[in-house]
Amino acid sequence: MIDQATIDAIRDAAVPPQNLLIDGTWRQARGGATQTVSSPINGEPLTTIAAGTAEDVDHAVAAARAAFSKGAWSKAEPRFRKEVLHKVADLIAAHAAELAVLGSRDNGTEIQTSIMSEPGTASATFRHSAECVDKLYGEIAPTGPAVLGMIQRAPVGVVGVIVPWNAPLMITSWKISAALAVGNSVVLKPAEDASLAVLRLAELCMEAGLPEGVLNVVTGSGAVVGEAIARHMDVDVLAFTGSGAVGRKLLRASADSNMKRVYLELGGKSPNVVFADAPDLDKAAMISAKAFFKNAGQICVTPSRLLVEESVHDDFVARVVEHAKAITVGDPLDVQTQMGAITNTTQMQTVAGFVAAAAEDGGDVRTGGTAILEETGGSYFAPTVVGSVAPKSRLFQEEVFGPVLAATPFKTEDEALRLANGTVYGLASCFWTENLSRAHRMIAGLEAGMVQVNSFGPIDNVAPMGGVKQSGNGVDKSLHAFEKYLNYKTAWVHL
Ligand code: NAD
């Protein structure tokens, strides 16, 4: 929780021009180029970030490799890495208000969401990774007495991390805390639209005692900085969260360079299947709306396709529409705001384009459908519900990443599953039923990395998160996340 007075005291604080973090030093990009950062709250310039170059990436990778070889982190006692990562978690918690406000000014997330999902989750994630540092063991293979098969796990070396704008602290922390926990060095590229809180996190990591060169941050454009990381011959593993289009480029870049392992957390079009025998249809309607419109629909797992059993469809969708109409949209830094801004004007146009396409495809806009609060200069879009969305339409098939909910009826459980699985995505899913047997059939049948049953609740660090199909590969969170950043080495000791 955060109160209005705390926010108001820091909401207009000047943000100095931001630099790159390379080898423990904050420095300008080669050539000194910068990029203006505008706030989606009012469209006004907030500050600048350094427009990194391929040479900056080379420098950052060299620093990361040198730090890895030197071993102040990679070969440190696990207890040292554990202490530092705990300290990072403490510092994030101590600066939670500052980080959440800065992040919301940068990307427009409503503050009540960002305080929990951003510093809240980031701190918990660093703590989880810290706790795992001294609990990840190697293995002894089952062999006869003449030989000892030791399976060791070693850090990969230099990990490239590229993250999106929608939950920058949370997603960055999932990746870097796990990569760092097992001894790697990192070269991180935040999104152009959400670098500020991530840069502050990097400062806190240095304050916590992370040795120089272990964490490097290069801001700038995806086409320049991201591409240079992806094509770098000395980056061992690339961990990415973002769109499928960029994910494909990264796979190509890996194939064309050193065949680095590439882990992709991509988009989604998560089905939310409501059966007539849901335990509480009122609650289901309220949660369906609340979960979807959070962060203006700019969440990868957001339940964006509402599939409702025909017998309750009209009534259920009407309830969701009422909830959508009641959402308070506006200034992300007002504690009463339930839905903040769309991150930038290009994304606003994309969202509006989806509504127009949905109408052309026979969809019926039940509420919303337009930009609002234009007098603020910011990017705000009305919570939108489109009914009668056909399974072949763009709105059913493609990720909007904005507050446009697609509703479609179904008649049978088989049809519900077919519709739910009927896109290229497989990130998250949700369904509502009181029928235990049906629940297990649905869990087994849904093609998704995550299934939520009878709610769409918050998710914890104890379980993995990742997608199937074109939603990606590999997972963040849980003990399984560390696998991405480790190599196995088997030693046969002949006795
Ligand atoms: P994006 O793919 O446009 O950008 C993501 C990052 O990639 C940014 O840092 C960007 O600068 C960089 N990038 C862009 N072009 C690049 C290139 N050619 N080479 C290397 N890097 C490049 O995504 P976005 O618009 O920032 O974020 C929204 C997307 O992220 C949505 O598709 C959303 O579903 C997805 N996402 C997925 C998850 C998940 O866990 N699966 C979580 C959050 C967001």
Side-chain angles (χ1 to χ4, degrees):
M1 292 295 286
I2 186 167
D3 61 72
Q4 196 62 52
T6 305
I7 297 166
D8 291 345
I10 53 176
R11 63 171 295 155
D12 296 319
V15 184
Q18 303 288 297
N19 288 320
L20 312 176
L21 174 63
I22 300 180
D23 207 8
T25 303
W26 293 93
R27 55 185 93 211
Q28 294 187 342
R30 288 286 161 95
T34 61
Q35 226 173 310
T36 300
V37 175
S38 298
S39 175
I41 296 179
N42 51 18
E44 292 187 2
L46 196 50
T47 185
T48 58
I49 53 171
T53 63
E55 292 77 44
D56 292 313
V57 171
D58 278 343
H59 188 185
V61 174
R65 178 64 62 191
F68 185 75
S69 302
K70 197 167 143 204
W73 183 255
S74 59
K75 296 185 186 122
E77 291 290 331
R79 98 169 69 86
F80 171 65
R81 293 204 298 268
K82 178 176 178 169
E83 276 167 19
V84 171
L85 296 181
H86 267 304
K87 185 86 194 294
V88 176
D90 293 342
L91 287 169
I92 296 171
H95 292 83
E98 176 202 343
L99 287 163
V101 170
L102 184 62
S104 291
R105 291 172 76 190
D106 201 4
N107 75 353
T109 301
E110 62 279 356
I111 192 75
Q112 298 292 16
T113 297
S114 76
I115 191 77
M116 283 193 309
S117 313
E118 286 284 275
T121 306
S123 174
T125 300
F126 267 91
R127 211 169 288 296
H128 180 266
S129 294
E131 279 305 324
C132 293
V133 169
D134 55 4
K135 296 171 189 70
L136 291 165
Y137 292 86
E139 294 166 9
I140 302 288
T143 61
V147 69
L148 181 63
M150 295 195 302
I151 304 164
Q152 299 176 345
R153 301 206 270 187
V156 294
V158 176
V159 176
V161 173
I162 303 178
V163 291
W165 46 263
N166 66 319
L169 279 186
M170 175 172 83
I171 294 169
T172 297
S173 300
W174 287 344
K175 294 184 192 313
I176 71 168
S177 73
L180 293 172
V182 292
N184 295 292
S185 297
V186 169
V187 176
L188 165 68
K189 187 208 129 20
E192 300 87 313
D193 287 318
S195 292
L196 304 183
V198 174
L199 289 163
R200 184 72 182 109
L201 169 65
E203 264 177 9
L204 297 177
C205 288
M206 299 311 290
E207 190 180 330
L210 203 62
E212 291 176 357
V214 172
L215 174 64
N216 305 274
V217 187
V218 185
T219 52
S221 86
V224 176
V225 176
E227 183 86 14
I229 295 173
R231 292 191 172 270
H232 207 287
M233 294 300 286
D234 206 25
V235 170
D236 300 292
V237 160
L238 180 57
F240 172 75
T241 294
S243 63
V246 174
R248 277 177 210 281
K249 290 186 186 172
L250 303 184
L251 291 172
R252 282 190 207 110
S254 166
D256 291 345
S257 57
N258 62 343
M259 295 196 283
K260 56 182 72 62
R261 296 201 317 246
V262 179
Y263 294 102
L264 304 171
E265 297 284 343
L266 308 175
K269 192 77 197 181
S270 304
N272 178 13
V273 183
V274 182
F275 289 100
D277 63 5
D280 181 341
L281 283 166
D282 268 337
K283 188 172 158 205
M286 188 263 289
I287 292 177
S288 297
K290 209 171 147 191
F292 175 68
F293 290 110
K294 196 156 126 175
N295 202 13
Q298 303 166 114
I299 299 179
C300 54
V301 294
T302 198
S304 54
R305 284 183 299 140
L306 189 58
L307 307 176
V308 188
E309 190 164 353
E310 201 171 57
S311 58
V312 293
H313 174 272
D314 292 354
D315 179 50
F316 191 85
V317 173
R319 289 188 222 193
V320 172
V321 166
E322 286 316 305
H323 285 295
K325 283 181 177 163
I327 289 171
T328 312
V329 185
D331 178 5
L333 295 179
D334 183 330
V335 289
Q336 302 301 332
T337 294
Q338 293 167 310
M339 191 178 114
I342 305 290
T343 196
N344 61 38
T345 44
T346 314
Q347 185 63 13
M348 279 280 283
Q349 284 156 11
T350 304
V351 173
F354 269 101
V355 176
E360 277 168 26
D361 287 340
D364 163 22
V365 180
R366 304 278 172 91
T367 185
T370 54
I372 52 172
L373 302 173
E374 284 158 301
E375 67 284 3
T376 62
S379 317
Y380 300 92
F381 204 86
T384 301
V385 180
V386 184
S388 310
V389 174
K392 286 208 167 106
S393 65
R394 265 189 76 199
L395 185 58
F396 193 94
Q397 292 293 334
E398 295 177 29
E399 182 182 47
V400 178
F401 227 56
V404 184
L405 180 62
T408 306
F410 68 85
K411 287 195 177 73
T412 64
E413 187 182 313
D414 278 354
E415 188 189 5
L417 258 184
R418 201 160 15 87
L419 289 173
N421 293 336
T423 73
V424 297
Y425 296 110
L427 190 55
S429 59
C430 176
F431 67 86
W432 306 74
T433 182
E434 228 166 17
N435 179 327
L436 184 64
S437 303
R438 164 178 282 167
H440 283 282
R441 286 194 299 271
M442 289 295 291
I443 292 170
L446 282 164
E447 295 167 354
M450 180 175 85
V451 186
Q452 296 250 13
V453 185
N454 291 334
S455 193
F456 202 90
I459 45 181
D460 199 350
N461 275 308
V462 295
M465 179 185 145
V468 298
K469 295 161 73 179
Q470 290 184 32
S471 286
N473 59 37
V475 296
D476 283 320
K477 314 207 299 175
S478 84
L479 289 173
H480 299 285
F482 298 99
E483 302 286 325
K484 297 191 293 196
Y485 310 115
L486 289 164
N487 285 330
Y488 287 104
K489 181 186 277 178
T490 304
W492 292 103
V493 182
H494 300 274
L495 303 169

